[in-house]
């Protein structure tokens, strides 16, 4: 088994999730379903935290980017580890609060916060709101004045750098919708400092997701350094820096982000500024902690292809269809079959409903289980009811224990709810 899936390993030819056979869980919960390994999440969090604690004078806040996986079971685990949460909607904020994440550890990011969302965030007393535009700052000032409550503000900096990642998840270029330029930040920071109830205390930045090489952060760190000095030269106080997340994981053969090298950059380039730091890892903490387990329905042979048709579909895991993403796939039971080049597909009526194309795999049989790896991030949270299919349920494994942490509304429940609305 690949060493980047350490809590999903074979024992006597059978795949285990920590100490539990995946096949046993599949029989109990049915397929498709997600499994998350709590030990993997703890290990990733501890690795990240310890690396940063070594180089930061003040313990940083690790605010888990819960858009990666916002299930309450995952958020409660993060809370037990001492994490905060980065949210991009009021819904995520409410999930974090329901998981007992302290409001003082919640950061609200995102480019399209509504007036009501801003008001609810102020009322909740969260740690800070990351402002992304001048109109948003104006609306925040109106909301704070209406509620007569103070709110801390960080303004998101767009450093105009490449992150070396997929175009759809790059966020730090000038053409991207995120953040504002250094020149505009100085103006907005001054305006916020003069506005009653707003407390501008820092800068936030996030250049993109799935960044494998920490060296991509160097130009961004250089520019945020310059910006902090410019703000301070204007007599403005900058006490906090939110450096976002984006560190990558291994999906296929790419290296996992080098956390020690990243921490070294923080020590050399950011720590001299003397700010309280916060970070927003998401995928790095949960991505390889999850698998999607699916059952083979049919093996369809054609003149040109062998299609392995499974019960998991793009409504359960959309990343391959949306990003052309690669996910390692392993049989749950090693059957010793000959290796064949196959397409692994779902049952949805779209050609894009494909988990893998031209993939070498021991040829499975009908009824066999497959494990789709690296599904802990942006899997279940991006699922849908497309084709009137109920998304996969979710199970958290911790050693020899397992807990069902999410099951979606059944189609019967949906129909009953809609009938009630129509009556």
């Amino acid at each position: 088994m690949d060493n980047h899936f350490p809590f999903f390993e074979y024992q006597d030819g059978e795949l285990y999730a920590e100490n539990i056979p995946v096949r046993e869980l599949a029989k109990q919960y049915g397929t498709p379903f997600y499994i998350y390994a709590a030990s993997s999440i703890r290990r990733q969090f501890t690795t990240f935290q310890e690396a940063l604690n070594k180089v930061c004078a003040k313990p940083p806040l690790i605010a888990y980017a819960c858009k990666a996986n916002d299930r309450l079971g995952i958020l409660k685990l993060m809370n037990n580890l001492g994490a905060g949460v980065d949210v991009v909607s009021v819904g995520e904020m409410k999930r974090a609060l329901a998981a007992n994440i302290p409001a003082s550890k919640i950061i609200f990011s995102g480019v399209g916060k509504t007036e009501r969302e801003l008001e609810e965030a102020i009322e909740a007393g969260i740690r800070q709101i990351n402002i992304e535009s001048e109109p948003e700052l104006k609306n925040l000032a109106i909301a704070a004045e209406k509620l007569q409550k103070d709110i801390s503000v960080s303004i998101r900096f767009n450093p105009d750098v490449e992150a070396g990642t997929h175009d759809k998840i790059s966020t730090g270029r000038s053409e991207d919708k995120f953040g504002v330029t250094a020149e505009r930040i100085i103006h907005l920071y001054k305006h916020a400092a003069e506005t009653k109830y707003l407390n501008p205390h820092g800068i936030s930045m996030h250049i993109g997701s799935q960044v494998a090489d920490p060296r991509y952060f160097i130009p961004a760190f250089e520019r945020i350094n310059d910006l902090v000095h410019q703000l301070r030269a204007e007599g403005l106080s900058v006490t906090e820096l939110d450096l976002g997340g984006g560190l990558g994981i291994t999906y296929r053969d790419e290296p996992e982000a080098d956390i020690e090298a990243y921490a070294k950059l923080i020590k050399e380039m950011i720590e001299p500024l003397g700010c309280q730091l916060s970070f927003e890892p998401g995928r790095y903490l949960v991505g390889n902690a999850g698998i999607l387990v699916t059952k083979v329905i049919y093996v369809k042979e054609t003149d040109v292809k062998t299609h392995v048709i499974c019960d998991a579909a793009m409504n359960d895991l959309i990343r391959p269809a949306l990003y052309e993403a690669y996910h390692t796939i392993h049989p749950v039971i090693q059957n010793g079959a000959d290796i064949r080049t196959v397409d692994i597909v779902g049952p949805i009526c779209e050609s894009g409903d494909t988990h893998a194309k031209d993939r070498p795999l021991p040829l499975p049989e009908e009824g066999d289980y497959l494990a789709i790896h690296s599904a802990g991030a942006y899997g279940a949270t991006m699922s849908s009811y497309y084709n009137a299919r109920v998304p996969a349920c979710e199970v958290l494994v911790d050693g020899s224990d397992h807990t069902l942490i999410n099951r979606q509304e059944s189609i019967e429940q949906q129909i009953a709810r809609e009938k009630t609305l129509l009556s």
Side-chain angles (χ1 to χ4, degrees):
M1 179 65 73
D2 306 81
N3 60 12
H4 45 278
F5 311 132
F7 296 96
F8 297 99
E9 297 180 321
Y10 285 112
Q11 297 182 29
D12 297 323
E14 182 165 4
L15 186 64
Y16 276 63
E18 298 205 22
N19 299 334
I20 305 175
V22 169
R23 176 170 53 175
E24 289 186 7
L25 295 173
K27 288 179 178 178
Q28 178 172 345
Y29 294 106
T31 56
F33 75 111
Y34 281 94
I35 302 175
Y36 308 122
S39 296
S40 177
I41 295 171
R42 289 193 192 96
R43 188 192 71 165
Q44 291 296 98
F45 183 89
T46 300
T47 298
F48 191 79
Q49 183 181 56
E50 289 181 349
L52 291 170
N53 281 347
K54 289 178 184 176
V55 301
C56 295
K58 307 169 188 174
L61 172 65
I62 300 175
Y64 165 60
C66 74
K67 64 179 180 287
N69 190 324
D70 64 10
R71 301 319 188 218
L72 292 186
I74 302 298
L75 293 174
K76 287 182 177 181
L77 177 56
M78 293 295 179
N79 186 42
N80 291 339
L81 291 168
V85 172
D86 168 63
V87 305
V88 292
S89 72
V90 156
E92 287 185 350
M93 183 188 78
K94 290 179 178 178
R95 281 186 162 273
L97 293 170
N100 297 319
I101 303 285
S104 60
K105 290 185 175 182
I106 296 177
I107 296 171
F108 196 168
S109 303
V111 300
K113 309 177 194 75
T114 66
E115 292 179 21
R116 183 58 195 157
E117 284 184 311
L118 293 171
E119 289 177 10
E120 290 196 41
I122 294 169
E123 289 172 334
I126 66 170
R127 178 185 181 86
Q128 72 186 43
I129 295 178
N130 290 346
I131 290 296
E132 301 248 10
S133 66
E134 190 165 354
E136 184 178 82
L137 182 66
K138 177 183 176 182
N139 279 349
L140 181 63
I142 292 170
E145 178 71 34
K146 175 182 175 181
L147 298 171
Q148 297 188 12
K149 288 187 176 181
D150 296 334
I151 184 68
S152 292
V153 173
S154 181
I155 300 178
R156 181 166 176 174
F157 174 42
N158 184 320
D160 190 21
V161 298
E162 289 287 346
T165 187
H166 193 289
D167 180 66
K168 291 182 179 178
I169 54 176
S170 184
T171 63
R173 303 166 300 187
S174 59
E175 67 265 30
D176 295 325
K177 65 182 180 180
F178 302 94
V180 294
T181 63
E183 293 77 12
R184 295 305 299 163
I185 280 183
I186 294 173
H187 168 74
L188 293 181
Y189 213 98
K190 285 181 178 179
H191 180 64
E194 296 167 354
T195 303
K196 190 177 182 181
Y197 300 115
L198 299 190
N199 171 33
H201 66 185
I203 301 299
S204 66
M205 182 181 70
H206 177 70
I207 66 170
S209 297
Q210 191 56 10
V211 180
D213 189 341
R215 288 177 294 183
Y216 280 103
F217 290 99
I218 292 175
F221 287 170
E222 289 174 341
R223 292 172 193 182
I224 204 169
N225 238 293
D226 291 343
L227 177 57
V228 170
H229 287 303
Q230 290 176 48
L231 289 167
R232 287 174 174 171
E234 295 283 344
L236 299 166
S237 174
V238 182
T239 60
E240 303 220 6
L241 291 178
D242 176 354
L243 297 176
L247 295 168
I249 63 171
T250 300
Y251 283 94
R252 187 176 187 176
D253 52 12
E254 67 273 35
E256 187 174 272
D258 186 337
I259 299 303
E260 295 298 327
Y262 179 73
K264 184 179 179 183
L265 289 180
I266 297 296
K267 180 179 181 179
E268 294 173 352
M269 304 184 69
I270 302 297
E271 265 298 294
L273 294 171
C275 293
Q276 172 66 53
L277 303 181
S278 55
F279 299 87
E280 299 167 0
R283 186 196 319 257
Y284 176 80
L285 299 182
V286 299
N288 278 335
I291 61 173
L292 175 61
V293 182
T294 182
K295 189 175 184 178
V296 176
I297 305 172
Y298 302 115
V299 178
K300 177 182 177 181
E301 301 277 4
T302 73
D303 293 339
V304 294
K305 285 279 188 179
T306 298
H307 298 281
V308 177
I309 303 171
C310 303
D311 61 2
M314 62 188 286
N315 77 297
D316 302 299
L317 180 65
I318 200 172
R319 295 191 72 257
L322 185 61
Y323 303 120
E324 299 83 40
Y326 182 100
H327 286 260
T328 296
I329 301 176
H330 285 131
V332 168
I333 303 294
Q334 294 176 318
N335 61 10
D338 292 338
I339 301 294
R340 291 276 295 275
T341 298
V342 301
D343 283 6
I344 303 168
V345 304
I348 279 179
C349 291
E350 301 232 6
S351 295
D353 184 24
T354 301
H355 302 299
K357 287 188 176 182
D358 299 321
R359 184 72 60 88
L361 191 77
L363 185 65
E365 298 178 354
E366 293 179 13
D368 286 353
Y369 298 116
L370 301 176
I372 304 176
H373 287 272
S374 306
Y378 306 107
T381 51
M382 297 179 78
S383 64
S384 73
Y385 282 84
Y386 186 46
N387 279 194
R389 288 173 46 87
V390 177
C393 71
E394 299 162 74
V395 176
L396 180 65
V397 169
D398 196 351
S400 299
D401 298 322
H402 58 93
T403 306
L404 180 67
I405 62 170
N406 190 47
R407 186 185 294 281
Q408 301 286 359
E409 184 181 50
S410 70
I411 295 300
E412 289 76 16
Q413 289 170 325
Q414 278 194 321
I415 291 171
R417 174 170 49 79
E418 290 180 32
K419 281 185 174 180
T420 300
L421 294 172
L422 292 171
S423 61

